[in-house]
Amino acid sequence: MPGDRPTLPPVRLLSEAELARDALAAPLLARAVRLARWAGPTTRVGAGGELVDEQLPAAAEVLGLGDELSEGDGEAYASEAWRVAVDTGLVEVDDPDENTGPDAAAPDTEGHVTAGEQLGVLTSGGPQDILSLWLDALDVVFADATAPVLDDLAAAIGDDGEIDLASLDWDPELEAEFLEGVLGNLYLLTLVEGGGEGPVPLPVLAASMIVPDDMGEPTDDILEQVSEAMMRLDDQFRLLEPIGLVSYVPVDEALMVEDTEDGPDASLPVGEEDVARYGMVRLTPLGLYGIRSRMLEAGVDAPAVGDLADKDAHALLDGVAHFPELSARAETEQWLTRRAPADAAHELLAAARGTDPGAPLRRLHCQQALSLVGAEAEAAVREVLDDAELGGLARVWLAELGAGDVPPPPESMIFWLAIDTIAAQLDAEGEPDELQELVEGLVGQHSGFFEAAWRVEHPATAEVLEAMGRLHRDRAVSKDARKAAFKARSRG
């Protein structure tokens, strides 16, 4: 069976308009926008574009970050928001060295601020423009999150004022790769759990990056690495939450004190209360969009529900082949809304034909798609009753619809449909328990099943019979299946 299938399930995203509203509501971007609108010719910035210390209290006041915060916190938030405003182009800062006009009496040590081009996007741009601005802001925050921790940075400043990065034991590429990996795992866990209704424990995320898949009981060294990674991730998610990427419940401060006094705790939390104390994180709808965008930029295949809506029926049926059930249904529903029911039914049936390895699964999804079309597909389905590949599917679908005047299938069609159905299930799910029950049920209903089955003119006959031999729990029946598979192969 084909192994060429997407590595990630499709994500269901909000509309661009809804995502843009969420982006503008993200606290950090909202603060950056307010500061950009407040800034003007009298705003004082340093040579690096940062607000000078004397300007920070006024900026914090503009943001409403005053008495309710600890001393200096409001100014820190203002400084962070200003950096986002500068790095995303909401404001432009002229280099002081460029201010050398005829009126310049002395070298200028401060930059000059003007409104940036991106500020106009907020009023004249569309949702895509706003989301692009938000992605730029996310890049800024991501870079901050993977920077050396402040304490280590201060210790690395030499007498000459230069930073010795080598002394920090910090590799920017490895730091970025680790956080990208964590966010990728969080993205996957969110999709697997059906859209991220619940948060993911921080220990689970850390362990997903550090504990080898084939390791049974983690060693003390591995557990210590997990504990250290959790503390680092706690700092990073605290930075990523204000940009709207995640919803985060931080690690309990009491654990920080214990960690400082006793060193990293080389154990993973077990109880639900313990897990919650160690941090809980969830990707927001905007976060799903953001991580998917970064994956696409990196060349990762990260499908989204709706990607196939403009494709033909063949692309739809191949595309949803390995989607989770709910995602496949949602994708198909979007595809159907753009077509007349009768036209859609004809397209689907035509695309379901074929002898390639993916054809059985296309036929299975065609039948499921036709059930969404409903009774308006009946005329198109009746047209294929005599078709060797689609006749069995058509009869099953008409029976499920409750239609009358459905001719009984010839025996050859019954066995062909049985082989085709099992081939589709093998392609979709491998060999789960449900397929074992299907196999045993088929053999039990038809005496001499294998004597007829090996003669079926289907490309997957031998492969299906071999699988039936593996799946059936009766040794004698399993042996008959293997003999039948041999006959099917020998027939050529």
Side-chain angles (χ1 to χ4, degrees):
M1 298 300 171
D4 183 17
R5 55 189 63 178
T7 56
L8 289 170
V11 60
R12 302 188 69 172
L13 297 174
L14 298 180
S15 69
E16 287 188 342
E18 291 173 302
L19 290 169
R21 284 195 292 270
D22 286 352
L24 291 174
L28 182 53
L29 183 58
R31 292 171 190 160
V33 169
R34 290 177 68 181
L35 287 184
R37 288 174 171 159
W38 159 78
T42 60
T43 305
R44 300 173 57 201
V45 295
E50 74 284 358
L51 287 172
V52 298
D53 291 345
E54 294 83 1
Q55 195 80 70
L56 288 174
E61 185 177 349
V62 168
L63 297 178
L65 301 173
D67 297 339
E68 73 279 6
L69 298 175
S70 301
E71 184 177 354
D73 283 355
E75 296 177 8
Y77 289 140
S79 179
E80 179 186 30
W82 179 258
R83 185 168 60 256
V84 170
V86 172
D87 290 349
T88 58
L90 289 170
V91 295
E92 296 289 345
V93 178
D94 296 330
D95 192 303
D97 293 338
E98 297 175 1
N99 300 318
T100 56
D103 297 330
D108 199 344
T109 59
E110 293 184 359
H112 291 251
V113 177
T114 56
E117 290 185 8
Q118 291 299 313
L119 191 57
V121 166
L122 303 173
T123 53
S124 63
Q128 285 188 351
D129 299 313
I130 291 172
L131 289 171
S132 178
L133 174 65
W134 179 82
L135 287 171
D136 289 343
L138 175 59
D139 287 341
V140 176
V141 178
F142 186 92
D144 285 347
T146 55
V149 294
L150 189 58
D151 290 344
D152 291 343
L153 187 60
I157 298 177
D159 296 336
D160 58 357
E162 295 296 322
I163 299 175
D164 180 10
L165 292 179
S167 69
L168 293 175
D169 191 24
W170 171 72
D171 185 323
E173 291 186 4
L174 288 179
E175 285 287 336
E177 182 180 334
F178 183 82
L179 184 54
E180 291 280 19
V182 168
L183 293 174
N185 285 353
L186 179 57
Y187 181 90
L188 179 58
L189 286 169
T190 300
L191 299 189
V192 169
E193 293 298 324
E197 293 298 322
V200 177
L202 200 58
V204 171
L205 274 182
S208 72
M209 293 295 295
I210 293 173
V211 180
D213 293 335
D214 58 353
M215 177 174 282
E217 189 71 21
T219 63
D220 288 346
D221 178 60
I222 289 292
L223 291 174
E224 185 172 335
Q225 291 180 48
V226 171
S227 180
E228 291 172 351
M230 285 165 49
M231 295 302 103
R232 179 68 171 134
L233 287 173
D234 179 66
D235 291 334
Q236 292 172 326
F237 283 129
R238 288 172 190 256
L239 288 173
L240 292 167
E241 184 176 36
I243 199 60
L245 189 79
V246 296
S247 174
Y248 182 54
V249 178
V251 174
D252 189 336
E253 294 290 347
L255 293 173
M256 302 285 199
V257 175
E258 295 169 12
D259 205 35
T260 301
E261 294 176 349
D262 303 326
D265 181 13
S267 63
L268 289 176
V270 178
E272 288 187 14
E273 289 188 9
D274 285 336
V275 169
R277 291 184 68 202
Y278 278 81
M280 305 286 282
V281 63
R282 176 178 62 83
L283 278 177
T284 64
L286 183 61
L288 283 169
Y289 166 82
I291 299 307
R292 177 176 182 262
S293 296
R294 294 178 69 89
M295 287 181 169
L296 292 176
E297 187 177 352
V300 176
D301 180 16
V305 172
D307 283 352
L308 303 175
D310 293 327
K311 307 294 184 182
D312 61 26
H314 199 287
L316 172 74
L317 296 179
D318 275 342
V320 302
H322 300 286
F323 281 13
E325 182 178 353
L326 292 178
S327 297
R329 181 185 178 95
E331 186 70 59
T332 304
E333 287 173 340
Q334 290 200 27
W335 188 88
L336 290 172
T337 59
R338 305 191 182 197
R339 293 158 179 82
D343 293 340
H346 280 104
E347 285 187 51
L348 289 165
L349 288 165
R353 289 188 174 92
T355 57
D356 58 283
L361 195 50
R362 281 203 308 277
R363 284 186 278 273
L364 177 62
H365 283 286
C366 173
Q367 182 178 335
Q368 294 169 348
L370 290 171
S371 69
L372 297 176
V373 177
E376 292 176 280
E378 182 174 353
V381 172
R382 286 188 178 276
E383 291 175 8
V384 300
L385 281 171
D386 295 329
D387 187 285
E389 295 178 359
L390 303 179
L393 175 157
R395 284 167 171 80
V396 171
W397 186 86
L398 289 168
E400 292 177 347
L401 184 66
D405 192 26
V406 180
E411 185 176 82
S412 60
M413 185 175 286
I414 293 174
F415 284 97
W416 194 95
L417 181 61
I419 295 294
D420 199 58
T421 300
I422 296 175
Q425 295 292 342
L426 286 170
D427 191 10
E429 304 179 59
E431 299 181 6
D433 293 340
E434 294 81 359
L435 186 54
Q436 185 177 61
E437 294 175 5
L438 172 63
V439 166
E440 293 180 347
L442 279 172
V443 176
Q445 290 172 13
H446 300 278
S447 59
F449 178 90
F450 296 114
E451 184 58 30
W454 74 264
R455 305 173 192 274
V456 171
E457 297 286 343
H458 191 293
T461 296
E463 187 175 354
V464 165
L465 290 173
E466 285 180 350
M468 294 179 76
R470 292 192 300 271
L471 289 164
H472 207 292
R473 286 170 287 195
D474 187 298
R475 289 189 177 182
V477 174
S478 179
K479 184 177 181 181
D480 289 342
R482 291 194 296 272
K483 286 182 179 179
F486 177 78
K487 289 181 180 180
R489 291 196 187 281
S490 300
R491 186 187 60 193

